[in-house]
Amino acid sequence: MGMRRKLVSGNWKMNGSLATLEELDGIAAAAAAAPNIDVSIAVPFTLIHPAALRVPGLAIGAEDVHDEDSGAHTGCVSAGMVREAGAVFTIAGHSERRADQGENSHDAWAKAAAARRNGLSVILCCGETEAERNAGRAERIVQAQIEKSVPENATADWLTLAYEPRWAIGTGRTPTLDEIGAIHAIAREKLRMMIGDCAADVRILYGGSVVGENAAAILSTENVDGALVGGASLTAAKFVPVIEAAARL
């Protein structure tokens, strides 16, 4: 456990503008004041380059990439393009992409592989719907998503998993700490079956209504190596407390 540094990563989703990049100043300062953890922010495509220029010490990422390196894919953006813009990581398989764009675990696998080909790290998401949890299928759903979306050559130096129960995102609801810990343990065991002992070094984040008030309890849970934060990452005032909570552990 001591070998896995905590990671607190923000996801701005379809929010932000050039004017709101000033929020990154406070976030970057908090990250610099917490050298024992890692901090990153995924921003919309249009903000990657200006964000990377504004806060060169903060890891800036893309919220998504296409699974092809180039081609006739109007409106899409490749992993190579976002890396050239200044991104160092991307998110793949986010539940909102699964729900709103109809993406599946194979799509997440292809995007993770494309990101790796182009030198990006990947936060790979998995998580069940409310109906799936109510039916007692949460564990099986997460195992199946990991099996279908983790590339064969995955290693801890570029892959991070994120468990985000889809019913907890943006709702203010979170699973119990026991429920979070149980899924994280299952996810790590599934990883171990796929990639061997190096699974012990892969960070598994929790995502879903993480805020300053609940961050310390969630991040203290076994096998929880950090947080993927949505709404609370949009301002320094809300995101910095999550960073500080992680840094105190």
Side-chain angles (χ1 to χ4, degrees), residues 34-238:
N36 59 319
I37 67 168
D38 296 323
V39 179
S40 63
I41 295 272
V43 297
F45 294 133
T46 56
L47 298 181
I48 292 172
H49 187 58
L53 289 177
R54 184 177 185 115
V55 284
L58 186 65
I60 299 297
E63 298 169 11
D64 185 49
V65 294
H66 195 272
D67 61 6
E68 296 286 347
D69 292 341
S70 62
H73 306 290
T74 300
C76 298
V77 180
S78 73
M81 290 172 178
V82 302
R83 185 182 181 194
E84 188 176 57
V88 296
F89 76 98
T90 190
I91 300 171
H94 192 279
S95 63
E96 288 163 356
R97 302 274 324 166
R98 293 175 186 261
D100 299 342
Q101 278 75 40
E103 294 184 3
N104 57 34
S105 294
H106 177 76
D107 296 322
W109 171 86
K111 291 183 175 189
R116 177 57 180 159
R117 282 197 307 272
N118 287 277
L120 296 175
S121 296
V122 178
I123 296 177
L124 186 60
C125 300
C126 60
E128 80 283 358
T129 64
E130 185 170 27
E132 289 164 344
R133 173 163 283 278
N134 290 342
R137 300 179 60 223
E139 296 178 359
R140 282 175 287 169
I141 291 294
V142 169
Q143 288 173 320
Q145 288 175 345
I146 292 171
E147 182 175 345
K148 294 175 181 177
S149 61
V150 172
E152 297 79 4
N153 61 345
T155 58
D157 62 348
W158 66 271
L159 178 72
T160 296
L161 276 189
Y163 167 58
E164 40 165 36
R166 290 161 68 168
W167 50 272
I169 295 173
T171 64
R173 299 169 57 202
T174 57
T176 67
L177 297 180
D178 286 345
E179 289 170 336
I180 293 172
I183 294 289
H184 277 242
I186 286 164
R188 189 168 307 284
E189 176 59 21
K190 183 62 178 180
L191 266 183
R192 190 194 64 76
M193 293 171 62
M194 294 180 66
I195 64 175
D197 291 343
C198 65
D201 297 323
V202 175
R203 292 187 284 200
I204 306 178
L205 313 181
Y206 171 76
S209 298
V210 177
V211 293
E213 291 79 4
N214 63 18
I218 291 172
L219 296 175
S220 297
T221 303
E222 188 173 1
N223 279 310
V224 176
D225 305 310
L228 181 58
V229 183
S233 70
L234 292 172
T235 65
K238 292 185 176 180

